[in-house]
Amino acid sequence: MDSSKVAELKLFVNKLKSNPSIINDPSLGFFKSYLQSLGAQIPQGPETDESDDESSNPEEHADPDSLEDEFMESDIELDNADVLEPDNDPPQQMGDPSVEVTEENRDAAQLSKLKAMDTISEGNLDEAIGHLTEAILLNPCSAILYATRASVYVKMKKPNAAIRDANAALEINSDSAKGYKFRAMAKAMLGQWEEAKKDLHAASTLDYDEEIGSALKKVEPNAHKIEEHRRKYERLRKERELKKAEIERQRRRAESQAASEREKAKVHSSEKRNDSETTPLQDGQVLSIHSASELETKFNAASSLSRLVILYFTASWCGPCRFISPLYTSLAGKYTKIVFLKVDIDELRDVAAHWNIGSVPTFFFIKNGKEIDRVVGADKNGLEKKIALYASQS
């Protein structure tokens, strides 16, 4: 049977082993019937129309990028009873930090702040915002003024406005406990539990109070649930990445094996094996060796003519071999009185073992049946120099 056809059949059988369901393809009905006549067990075909190379498990072909969205959007039982719709009012008036603040402005700002505190105690929050805005315009470098106005916006259930003021306070003073506290409370109103927890812990480190403790009791349970959910996703993501990497490795291995089989089929179809002792040396050519007896015949023929033999061990999957093989062929045409031989280590494993081949490419220089030199690796310059040296001695 033609060796190339055998190689194709082997590839088809390997594909069947990796995905037996393809035997149910209508175009293979004749082959399926033949297998059944031999008593073979045929796997059931898929109930839905799917391509041959797809798994019956949809998770194996899920888009990893869509996995995160699907997983993170899954239900988590959070306490969102007090979560609000975000306030979409125009941004509040902010102070100009480049303005030079005089002592008079500081005093006036303090007076406006006191008025705001009085109106807050009376429940007039809008009026308190007005007084605090006036104070901020007079002294835009005061973190406490922004933090105080943020606290009023929290009372008014305007979380976005409160966050803007808290951010301004923290830009002025990165250690503003009130800035962290009221930003955390505003973020909790918007259901931003993890960020709220982070700000509350920062605030408690700087200046703990009962209000922070109360807020933590509400925020932390939701934040912990989200964090645990995220950890579960991370584990799943890593598992999926490992599985995807393994599938890719198997695919590359199969492609490499298929390429090797195709290469061997080409070699076998283009070269005729000849183990006869009368096989000519064919000057100027690289002779492929296909059996131990054929190698011995070539050695005997070369020895009878006192010719140098170069024995080249290679492999179809070897990148360095592909790199140096064209030079080896070229040198064979140049030095026609040297016998150039080639052995594929995968084809003649016994010969490779006999010569203790540890890596390819390896070149042995043989005269009268004895090794006189060698080159290991794809050393073009070294190989060419040694061949030229021994050729000049012949």
Side-chain angles (χ1 to χ4, degrees):
M1 186 174 183
D2 190 287
S3 58
S4 62
K5 298 297 184 182
V6 173
E8 290 177 3
L9 180 59
K10 185 182 293 185
L11 288 174
F12 175 68
V13 171
N14 287 337
K15 188 174 183 181
L16 272 177
K17 289 179 179 178
S18 63
N19 186 9
S21 64
I22 65 175
I23 194 63
N24 294 292
D25 190 297
S27 64
L28 296 175
F30 70 98
F31 188 48
K32 178 179 177 181
S33 299
Y34 171 68
L35 293 177
Q36 287 175 326
S37 69
L38 297 176
Q41 294 182 352
I42 306 298
Q44 287 187 344
E47 295 181 359
T48 57
D49 293 334
E50 297 180 355
S51 61
D52 290 345
D53 60 346
E54 289 182 347
S55 169
S56 59
N57 183 0
E59 288 188 1
E60 292 185 2
H61 297 278
D63 182 359
D65 294 332
S66 65
L67 176 65
E68 179 173 3
D69 293 337
E70 178 183 348
F71 190 82
M72 294 309 294
E73 290 177 2
S74 63
D75 293 335
I76 311 177
E77 294 183 2
L78 302 176
D79 180 5
N80 290 323
D82 296 329
V83 173
L84 307 174
E85 290 292 328
D87 49 309
N88 295 315
D89 298 338
Q92 64 268 37
Q93 197 171 6
M94 311 294 275
D96 183 356
S98 65
V99 172
E100 183 178 354
V101 181
T102 64
E103 191 66 32
E104 182 180 352
N105 285 348
R106 286 193 182 89
D107 292 341
Q110 182 63 22
L111 182 60
S112 293
K113 179 188 175 185
L114 292 174
K115 291 179 181 178
M117 302 309 292
D118 290 339
T119 53
I120 289 173
S121 63
E122 294 171 0
N124 274 327
L125 300 182
D126 286 328
E127 186 177 343
I129 292 294
H131 289 309
L132 288 169
T133 301
E134 182 180 351
I136 287 170
L137 295 176
L138 289 167
N139 185 7
C141 297
S142 172
I144 191 64
L145 289 177
Y146 280 109
T148 302
R149 191 169 69 172
S151 70
V152 177
Y153 279 127
V154 168
K155 293 178 183 292
M156 297 173 71
K157 300 189 183 303
K158 293 186 176 183
N160 281 336
I163 290 171
R164 286 192 289 268
D165 273 349
N167 287 340
L170 289 166
E171 286 179 7
I172 297 169
N173 177 14
S174 60
D175 291 330
S176 171
K178 291 185 180 297
Y180 282 116
K181 179 172 76 170
F182 293 118
R183 188 171 70 177
M185 295 173 71
K187 287 183 175 180
M189 290 180 179
L190 295 173
Q192 299 173 8
W193 304 111
E194 291 176 289
E195 295 179 21
K197 174 191 169 185
K198 181 179 178 181
D199 279 350
L200 285 171
H201 280 290
S204 64
T205 300
L206 294 166
D207 186 15
Y208 180 83
D209 60 33
E210 291 184 1
E211 196 172 19
I212 293 174
S214 177
L216 276 170
K217 289 180 181 179
K218 180 176 180 180
V219 166
E220 283 189 322
N222 283 341
H224 288 160
K225 289 179 181 178
I226 294 173
E227 290 164 0
E228 178 59 27
H229 190 68
R230 195 180 303 281
R231 282 192 291 270
K232 288 181 180 179
Y233 161 72
E234 186 63 20
R235 289 195 295 270
L236 177 61
R237 184 187 64 80
K238 289 180 179 179
E239 289 174 3
R240 293 295 295 275
E241 286 182 352
L242 290 173
K243 189 172 186 179
K244 184 178 179 181
E246 178 59 27
I247 291 173
E248 179 64 15
R249 281 194 295 271
Q250 293 177 0
R251 183 188 67 79
R252 290 180 179 177
R253 193 180 301 121
E255 287 182 352
S256 177
Q257 181 180 355
S260 177
E261 294 291 346
R262 287 194 296 270
E263 184 65 22
K264 287 181 180 180
K266 289 179 181 178
V267 171
H268 291 171
S269 63
S270 63
E271 298 182 357
K272 295 182 179 180
R273 298 187 180 187
N274 192 344
D275 294 335
S276 171
E277 293 185 0
T278 61
T279 301
L281 293 177
Q282 298 176 5
D283 295 347
Q285 297 183 30
V286 176
L287 306 179
S288 295
I289 303 301
H290 300 293
S291 69
S293 61
E294 184 182 7
L295 178 60
E296 184 178 358
T297 298
K298 300 297 185 186
F299 279 162
N300 291 337
S303 295
S304 66
L305 298 173
S306 297
R307 289 191 180 184
L308 174 69
V309 176
I310 302 177
L311 179 58
Y312 167 31
F313 285 94
T314 182
S316 60
W317 45 261
C318 170
C321 298
R322 290 193 293 271
F323 170 76
I324 203 167
S325 285
L327 173 64
Y328 190 66
T329 301
S330 174
L331 292 173
K334 182 177 180 181
Y335 300 100
T336 57
K337 296 306 178 183
I338 297 177
V339 181
F340 289 76
L341 305 181
K342 180 173 70 173
V343 172
D344 188 313
I345 63 171
D346 290 325
E347 180 182 9
L348 298 182
R349 296 181 184 274
D350 54 340
V351 173
H354 175 75
W355 286 84
N356 296 318
I357 299 303
S359 63
V360 287
T362 296
F363 304 84
F364 290 95
F365 291 68
I366 301 158
K367 191 69 176 285
N368 297 322
K370 296 182 179 180
E371 178 186 345
I372 60 173
D373 208 343
R374 73 173 67 178
V375 173
V376 178
D379 183 1
K380 283 188 172 183
N381 291 334
L383 179 64
E384 192 166 6
K385 287 179 180 179
K386 286 193 176 184
I387 291 177
L389 173 63
Y390 289 112
S392 65
Q393 297 174 358
S394 300

